[in-house]
Amino acid sequence: MVATVLRVKRCLLRLRKTRPKSLKVLRFKKIWISNLIRVHLLAFDKNRIDTREFKGNNREDLLRSLARENTQLLINELWKLPTERVKDVIVAKLPEPTTPLPREKPLPKQKPPTKWEQFAKLKGIQKKKKTNLVWDEVHKEWKRRWGYKRAKDDTKEWLIEVPENADPKEDQFAKRNVAKKERVAKNEFNRLKNIARAQKIKVPGMGLAPTSSQSKSELAQAASVAKISNASVGKFQQNLPKEKTPRNTGIRRKFQPVIGDFGGERQKQLDLLKLMGSKKPRLDITKAVNKQMREEDMDSSDKKKKGAGKKGRKGNMSGKGKGNFKGRAGGKGKVPKGKGRKPPMKQGKR
């Protein structure tokens, strides 16, 4: 066995020495599109050709050498691919074809992580994919986890148990609807905050939004808001020096104090009882006069409308005459005779 191996090595050495130069492996350095070479078995030589040699007498030799070099490079690229044996034949596995297309717009930037994603990455929380179907113990069937006809849908319950520490007269259905609306509003607010944080926009807090430079009116409004932002709604809050009373604050109902002047309260009650016990109704003169004037104006306007409908054309042209002036019933009209009548008008352009 060892002797056979030595003989093979000697034969290979002799072949290397006696091999002609034309059979040597040629190596070229050219620019190629490897994907096209491997997928479509197609090669493009983008190197410049020497125009002097091409226009000379050795044009055929130049083209033959270029074809040989490019064919050798194509075969070298094929041998770099993974191979397999099919029916005693070595076959190269060609990659799947891809077609690069030009892009109109630049690649979109990666979205910054949200507050929850940052927290999950910090704590090492991994997202687990949940199945869409869940077994419902009440109906004994598979139902969706979320959405319409979901499992354990508490909105379809006709009876809700009242908790021990809750008010027995409180509507639990309305309370559940309000809680759901609050959750939806909170999620929407968090979503908008994430968008503002991604776009590097300062998210204002509740109330007045801070600005870089505030005007005098904005400062006064902020001071008035801060003044009434306590438990007593600013009732016992002292005014600042040179502070003016705010305008357009609205009219608030004023209630009499529970403990205080009982004389004024007694007088109000006596006046109310006197008004209720009197047989004559209380007459508001101003209101009565305004009502009477309004009725008179309406009557006069109705009379004017009725009188305008009865009046006809101006002048003495009464009745139905000849020509294009036809009445509702049609026919010819009579012209008044005697002195003082006006001559008939000529028809035509005025």
Side-chain angles (χ1 to χ4, degrees):
M1 187 68 181
V2 178
T4 306
V5 173
L6 291 173
R7 289 175 185 174
V8 172
K9 287 183 178 180
R10 290 174 184 174
C11 292
L12 290 174
L13 290 172
R14 288 177 185 175
L15 285 173
R16 288 178 182 176
K17 291 179 181 180
T18 58
R19 183 173 56 182
K21 295 181 180 180
S22 60
L23 297 178
K24 288 183 179 180
V25 179
L26 300 177
R27 296 178 181 178
F28 309 101
K29 293 182 180 180
K30 287 188 176 183
I31 301 172
W32 295 93
I33 305 175
S34 59
N35 192 21
L36 292 175
I37 293 172
R38 296 178 181 179
V39 177
H40 303 287
L41 299 180
L42 181 65
F44 292 98
D45 189 358
K46 292 188 176 182
N47 299 289
R48 293 184 178 180
I49 300 174
D50 192 357
T51 54
R52 293 180 181 179
E53 294 182 4
F54 185 75
K55 292 180 180 179
N57 298 327
N58 299 329
R59 179 186 296 181
E60 296 295 333
D61 296 338
L62 177 63
L63 295 176
R64 194 179 295 109
S65 64
L66 288 175
R68 183 182 181 282
E69 291 174 4
N70 296 335
T71 306
Q72 184 65 44
L73 286 172
L74 180 60
I75 294 171
N76 293 343
E77 291 290 332
L78 288 176
W79 282 108
K80 291 179 182 179
L81 298 173
T83 58
E84 63 179 356
R85 186 177 292 274
V86 180
K87 295 181 180 180
D88 299 333
V89 178
I90 299 175
V91 181
K93 293 182 180 180
L94 298 178
E96 295 182 0
T98 57
T99 306
L101 296 175
R103 190 177 181 88
E104 181 185 1
K105 297 179 180 179
L107 290 171
K109 297 180 180 179
Q110 189 176 4
K111 294 183 179 179
T114 60
K115 200 171 183 180
W116 164 250
E117 291 175 352
Q118 294 177 358
F119 176 76
K121 186 178 180 180
L122 181 63
K123 297 294 182 180
I125 301 174
Q126 295 181 357
K127 188 177 181 180
K128 296 180 181 179
K129 188 175 181 180
K130 296 181 180 180
T131 57
N132 193 20
L133 297 177
V134 183
W135 178 256
D136 192 356
E137 294 290 344
V138 179
H139 298 86
K140 302 298 181 181
E141 60 179 351
W142 292 94
K143 286 193 173 184
R144 297 172 181 171
R145 188 184 294 271
W146 305 281
Y148 179 64
K149 291 185 178 180
R150 62 182 180 273
K152 302 177 182 180
D153 188 4
D154 56 351
T155 59
K156 303 298 181 181
E157 296 177 356
W158 63 275
L159 182 65
I160 299 178
E161 183 180 359
V162 180
E164 295 181 358
N165 56 353
D167 186 7
K169 296 183 179 180
E170 186 180 10
D171 189 359
Q172 299 296 326
F173 293 96
K175 183 179 179 181
R176 184 177 58 186
N177 294 337
V178 171
K180 182 178 180 181
K181 289 180 180 179
E182 289 178 356
R183 290 196 301 269
V184 171
K186 184 179 178 181
N187 293 336
E188 180 66 15
F189 181 67
N190 291 335
R191 186 183 70 86
L192 296 176
K193 283 176 66 177
N194 289 331
I195 294 174
R197 191 183 298 106
Q199 296 181 357
K200 297 181 179 180
I201 300 174
K202 291 184 179 180
V203 182
M206 303 301 292
L208 295 173
T211 56
S212 57
S213 58
Q214 294 180 345
S215 62
K216 186 178 180 180
S217 60
E218 291 177 350
L219 291 173
Q221 184 182 3
S224 62
V225 170
K227 185 177 180 180
I228 62 175
S229 299
N230 51 17
S232 61
V233 198
K235 185 176 181 180
F236 306 102
Q237 190 75 19
Q238 297 180 358
N239 294 335
L240 296 173
K242 298 181 181 180
E243 181 183 1
K244 296 181 180 180
T245 55
R247 297 180 179 178
N248 301 327
T249 55
I251 302 173
R252 297 180 179 272
R253 294 179 62 186
K254 294 182 179 180
F255 299 95
Q256 296 296 329
V258 180
I259 300 173
D261 185 14
F262 293 101
E265 185 178 358
R266 182 177 59 184
Q267 186 64 32
K268 285 185 178 181
Q269 297 296 334
L270 290 174
D271 294 342
L272 182 60
L273 289 172
K274 185 178 179 181
L275 180 63
M276 293 172 63
S278 62
K279 295 181 180 180
K280 295 181 180 180
R282 187 179 177 183
L283 179 62
D284 191 352
I285 300 175
T286 306
K287 189 174 181 180
V289 170
N290 292 336
K291 186 177 180 180
Q292 181 67 21
M293 293 174 64
R294 196 181 306 111
E295 289 178 356
E296 290 178 357
D297 292 341
M298 291 177 66
D299 293 341
S300 61
S301 62
D302 291 341
K303 289 179 181 179
K304 287 181 180 179
K305 289 180 181 179
K306 291 179 181 179
K310 292 181 179 179
K311 290 182 179 180
R313 293 178 177 270
K314 293 182 179 180
N316 296 328
M317 292 180 63
S318 60
K320 303 165 187 176
K322 296 181 180 181
N324 295 330
F325 297 97
K326 294 181 180 180
R328 293 184 180 178
K332 299 180 181 179
K334 294 182 179 181
V335 181
K337 297 180 180 180
K339 296 181 180 180
R341 68 182 183 86
K342 294 182 180 181
M345 294 177 63
K346 295 182 179 180
Q347 302 296 330
K349 294 183 180 180
R350 294 182 181 179

